[in-house]
Amino acid sequence: MAETLVTIANRKSTRGFKMDQIPAAAVDAILKAGNEAPVGTGAFPTIHFTVIQNADLIKKISDAATRGTPRAGADIFYGAPTVILVSAAEQPFPGLDLADAGSIIQNFLLAATDLGLGSVYIFGSNAAFAAEPELLKEAGIPEGFKPVSSAAIGYATAEATAAPKAPRNIPVNRV
Ligand SMILES: Cc1cc2nc3c(=O)[nH]c(=O)nc-3n(C[C@H](O)[C@H](O)[C@H](O)COP(=O)(O)O)c2cc1C
């Protein structure tokens, strides 16, 4: 149990990745961790994962997400060789898809951390599919599903590894 808390404490956003691809076994372990996450109403059939390891498609999604914005051309995935999209079908309650994505992606990120990989939650990828719906087909997203979040995963660069985790102290009230 203590090891879990150490992994939670060690997780931080990686914003610089090496080009080297991660092993297939690591992808499998990360997907399994996603499957272990809590999902609202237990509606697992309303969730779909897409593993993207095609650098051209990753760039296309990034370009579509930033086109016409001040960040045009920036890589929203920071050079990560693997991106996992979480897509959701229509949910019975508004916002449940985003809550599910948060739950699942945190498990992805913790699994990646445990495996010695860098990772970062990417919400910005959603904009790509809204702006250029043909990307849904290109990414093989099933009919009726839309991407609601993603995780960028890979080996962190030395610089990203050295970057400190943002300090925090979220206020608490106890009643
Ligand atoms: C819902 C959500 C969306 C996020 N979207 C992005 C994103 O699009 N791009 C990015 O670089 N970081 C994104 N992040 C990462 C946050 O900026 C990061 O978690 C936060 O600054 C705290 O830093 P830490 O992850 O190192 O603890 C997102 C995080 C969450 C939880």
Side-chain angles (χ1 to χ4, degrees):
M1 192 53 69
E3 285 172 24
T4 306
L5 297 179
V6 170
T7 302
I8 289 170
N10 285 341
R11 185 217 55 82
K12 65 176 184 179
S13 293
T14 294
R15 295 197 175 86
F17 293 92
K18 297 180 185 170
M19 283 174 73
D20 313 51
Q21 191 48 272
I22 63 174
V27 174
D28 290 345
I30 290 165
L31 292 172
K32 179 162 185 348
N35 272 279
E36 302 298 348
V39 159
T41 72
F44 294 98
T46 65
I47 309 290
H48 184 85
F49 299 154
T50 303
V51 177
I52 308 178
Q53 295 187 311
N54 172 331
D56 291 341
L57 182 55
I58 291 173
K59 181 168 168 20
K60 254 189 182 177
I61 295 169
S62 178
D63 286 348
T66 62
R67 193 165 287 122
T69 76
R71 289 189 71 206
D75 180 0
I76 67 163
F77 301 114
Y78 308 101
T82 295
V83 171
I84 307 179
L85 302 176
V86 174
S87 298
E90 202 172 324
Q91 301 283 338
F93 304 107
L96 206 54
D97 51 350
L98 294 175
D100 287 345
S103 166
I104 289 164
I105 288 193
Q106 175 69 345
N107 269 21
F108 286 168
L109 305 184
L110 291 175
T113 304
D114 194 58
L115 294 166
L117 299 170
S119 60
V120 58
Y121 196 126
I122 302 292
F123 192 76
S125 50
N126 297 352
F129 298 94
E132 299 183 19
E134 62 275 15
L135 285 171
L136 293 168
K137 206 166 193 183
E138 212 165 322
I141 310 292
E143 197 71 35
F145 285 73
K146 73 168 188 193
V148 283
S149 284
S150 67
I153 300 166
Y155 295 101
T157 59
E159 211 180 10
T161 301
K165 185 170 176 176
R168 64 208 70 198
N169 190 6
I170 297 173
V172 182
N173 76 303
R174 301 171 201 270
V175 292

